[in-house]
């Protein structure tokens, strides 16, 4: 295995990341000067706050969303502006017109948008995101687009980094690449922004051990396997939803990510306990999702087992 073949210099030596940058550049078809490796997408978010946000600046985020935006906004003592999603008929609604009005009125320094969002799983259309970036540009706002769930959802603003100088994209190798333990992500942006962020980055973006393991995995064949895995999981999710539709009156929220929210009824605790024996399920979520349990998508065989447990115990 890769772990058994780890050379000693990957532990006691400093990392050389040139190979990583060349491979990422080739696979994602982006110039190295538009790319910055970071410690997970969370590291890219933190780097954005470090470089562009100061105390008392306004930061605009949707709610609910990825928890670390709120954490960093408070850590940097910013004026946080929350824009609430509305939940109607088991669908989250993002009011783009109202969001644009807030940008014009409040003129936030930074706008953070996970697309798709987590935990809602909502996706904003590319045309609408571009509207946001344009209005943000007019109001001197930077837009951080978090594409952690790419390519579970294929909507990406990658090509727009050549057009907009106020756009920063962060991505992760944790979700679709199944490399969460390595804590590797990357930033895509204009050359000007990457140069600026590079000037204040840590001496080494990731460690030698991370770099070595990634160097053995990151190739076109592995990326093809990633895309095949994502396709298989998305298909399994569709089959799971078809099963849920056969149950009378069960409520669920479909998402553009690798999870789904399901109302498990009166026997929720029992169902969650049974599912946790073999699959990942998140319960006790935020207020807007308090009646739902979040099931992470896995192979169809496991999803069928999950469905059988729900069907057996659902009331």
């Amino acid at each position: 295995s890769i772990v058994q073949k780890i050379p000693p210099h990957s532990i006691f030596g400093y990392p050389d990341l040139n190979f990583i940058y060349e491979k990422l550049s080739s696979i994602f078809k982006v110039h190295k000067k538009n790319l910055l490796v970071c410690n997970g997408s969370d590291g890219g978010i933190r780097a954005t706050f470090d470089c562009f946000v100061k105390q008392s600046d306004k930061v605009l985020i949707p709610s609910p969303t990825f928890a670390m935006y709120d954490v960093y906004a408070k850590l940097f003592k910013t004026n946080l502006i929350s824009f609430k999603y509305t939940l109607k008929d088991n669908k989250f609604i993002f009011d783009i017109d109202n969001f644009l009005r807030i940008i014009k009125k409040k003129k936030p320094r930074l706008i953070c948008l996970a697309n798709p969002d987590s935990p809602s799983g909502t996706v904003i259309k590319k045309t609408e995101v571009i509207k946001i970036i344009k209005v943000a540009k007019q109001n001197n706002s930077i837009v951080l687009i978090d594409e952690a769930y790419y390519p579970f959802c294929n909507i990406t603003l990658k090509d727009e980094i050549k057009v907009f100088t106020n756009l920063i994209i962060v991505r992760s190798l944790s979700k679709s690449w199944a490399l969460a333990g390595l804590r590797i992500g990357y930033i895509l942006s204009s050359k000007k922004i990457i140069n600026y962020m590079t000037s204040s980055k840590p001496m080494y973006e990731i460690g030698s051990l991370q770099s070595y393991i990634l160097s053995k995995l990151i190739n076109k064949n592995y990326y093809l396997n990633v895309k095949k895995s994502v396709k298989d999981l998305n298909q399994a999710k569709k089959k799971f939803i078809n099963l849920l539709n056969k149950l009378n009156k069960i409520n669920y929220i479909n998402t553009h990510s690798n999870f789904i929210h399901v109302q498990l009824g009166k026997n929720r605790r029992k169902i969650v306990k049974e599912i946790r024996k073999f699959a990942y399920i998140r319960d006790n979520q935020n207020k807007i999702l308090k009646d739902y349990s979040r099931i992470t998508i896995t192979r169809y065989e496991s999803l069928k087992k999950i469905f059988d447990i729900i069907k057996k115990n659902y009331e």
Side-chain angles (χ1 to χ4, degrees):
S1 70
I2 292 173
V3 174
Q4 291 173 327
K5 296 177 181 178
I6 293 173
H9 67 76
S10 290
I11 297 175
F12 62 70
Y14 292 113
D16 180 1
L17 302 181
N18 287 330
F19 176 82
I20 300 299
Y21 274 95
E22 287 178 6
K23 281 294 182 180
L24 287 174
S25 172
S26 173
I27 286 174
F28 296 120
K29 295 179 173 56
V30 62
H31 197 283
K32 286 189 292 184
K33 291 183 179 180
N34 295 109
L35 180 67
L36 180 63
V37 174
C38 52
N39 202 303
S41 58
D42 176 46
I45 296 165
R46 172 63 190 255
T48 301
F49 273 83
D50 276 333
C51 289
F52 298 103
V53 176
K54 61 181 184 297
Q55 185 173 331
S56 298
D57 278 349
K58 295 173 184 174
V59 175
L60 174 60
I61 65 172
S63 177
T65 191
F66 182 47
M68 293 310 294
Y69 303 139
D70 182 75
V71 170
Y72 290 134
K74 291 176 180 176
L75 179 65
F76 282 75
K77 298 180 179 179
T78 67
N79 291 321
L80 183 62
I81 306 167
S82 291
F83 178 82
K84 294 188 182 299
Y85 285 106
T86 54
L87 183 58
K88 185 178 180 181
D89 298 328
N90 294 313
K91 290 184 179 180
F92 281 96
I93 299 169
F94 182 84
D95 187 341
I96 177 69
D97 293 329
N98 195 23
F99 195 76
L100 294 175
R101 280 194 291 269
I102 291 174
I103 296 173
K104 294 173 184 177
K105 182 178 179 180
K106 300 292 186 178
K107 302 185 187 303
R109 176 57 179 152
L110 178 64
I111 301 163
C112 300
L113 287 174
N115 203 36
D117 185 53
S118 175
S120 72
T122 307
V123 70
I124 307 171
K125 295 178 182 177
K126 185 173 180 178
T127 53
E128 293 184 340
V129 178
I130 289 174
K131 283 182 184 179
I132 291 170
I133 297 169
K134 287 180 177 178
V135 172
K137 178 69 174 177
Q138 294 167 1
N139 290 273
N140 197 33
S141 302
I142 291 169
V143 180
L144 171 70
I145 302 295
D146 186 342
E147 295 183 353
Y149 287 97
Y150 179 85
F152 283 102
C153 173
N154 278 316
I155 293 176
T156 177
L157 275 293
K158 185 193 76 170
D159 292 339
E160 305 307 317
I161 62 174
K162 301 172 184 176
V163 180
F164 298 106
T165 57
N166 64 323
L167 171 62
I168 298 171
I169 299 171
V170 294
R171 285 184 181 174
S172 172
L173 298 187
S174 297
K175 305 293 191 301
S176 59
W177 285 65
L179 298 175
L182 288 185
R183 305 307 306 138
I184 299 175
Y186 57 99
I187 300 168
L188 301 173
S189 192
S190 66
K191 293 178 182 179
K192 183 177 180 180
I193 285 181
I194 292 296
N195 283 339
Y196 182 65
M197 297 185 80
T198 299
S199 68
S200 61
K201 72 174 179 65
M203 185 175 290
Y204 300 104
E205 297 92 307
I206 58 175
S208 294
L209 196 55
Q210 294 164 287
S211 174
Y212 172 77
I213 295 174
L214 185 59
S215 71
K216 297 303 177 184
L217 295 174
I218 192 165
N219 54 57
K220 289 184 178 179
N221 286 335
Y222 188 88
Y223 189 47
L224 289 174
N225 288 334
V226 167
K227 291 196 286 188
K228 182 181 182 303
S229 174
V230 167
K231 182 179 178 181
D232 291 343
L233 288 171
N234 281 338
Q235 288 177 344
K237 182 179 169 188
K238 289 180 181 179
K239 291 180 180 179
F240 181 60
I241 289 172
N242 288 337
L243 291 175
L244 291 177
N245 287 334
K246 294 178 181 179
L247 290 179
N248 292 329
K249 297 182 179 179
I250 189 167
N251 291 322
Y252 63 86
I253 301 172
N254 194 4
T255 76
H256 295 266
S257 305
N258 66 338
F259 55 85
I260 183 172
H261 302 287
V262 185
Q263 286 186 346
L264 298 176
K266 296 178 181 178
N267 293 325
R268 176 177 179 174
R269 289 185 180 181
K270 182 180 180 181
I271 294 171
V272 168
K273 185 178 179 180
E274 287 297 311
I275 292 173
R276 279 183 174 157
K277 292 178 181 178
F278 64 94
Y280 184 75
I281 182 169
R282 183 180 295 179
D283 213 25
N284 299 319
Q285 302 189 85
N286 56 61
K287 289 181 180 179
I288 199 168
L289 286 166
K290 62 182 176 62
D291 296 327
Y292 294 84
S293 300
R294 171 172 162 172
I295 298 171
T296 298
I297 297 304
T298 180
R299 296 176 303 169
Y300 177 70
E301 292 79 8
S302 295
L303 289 175
K304 180 62 168 60
K305 286 176 63 177
I306 290 173
F307 172 77
D308 289 341
I309 292 170
I310 295 173
K311 182 179 180 181
K312 180 181 177 181
N313 297 281
Y314 185 77
E315 290 184 12

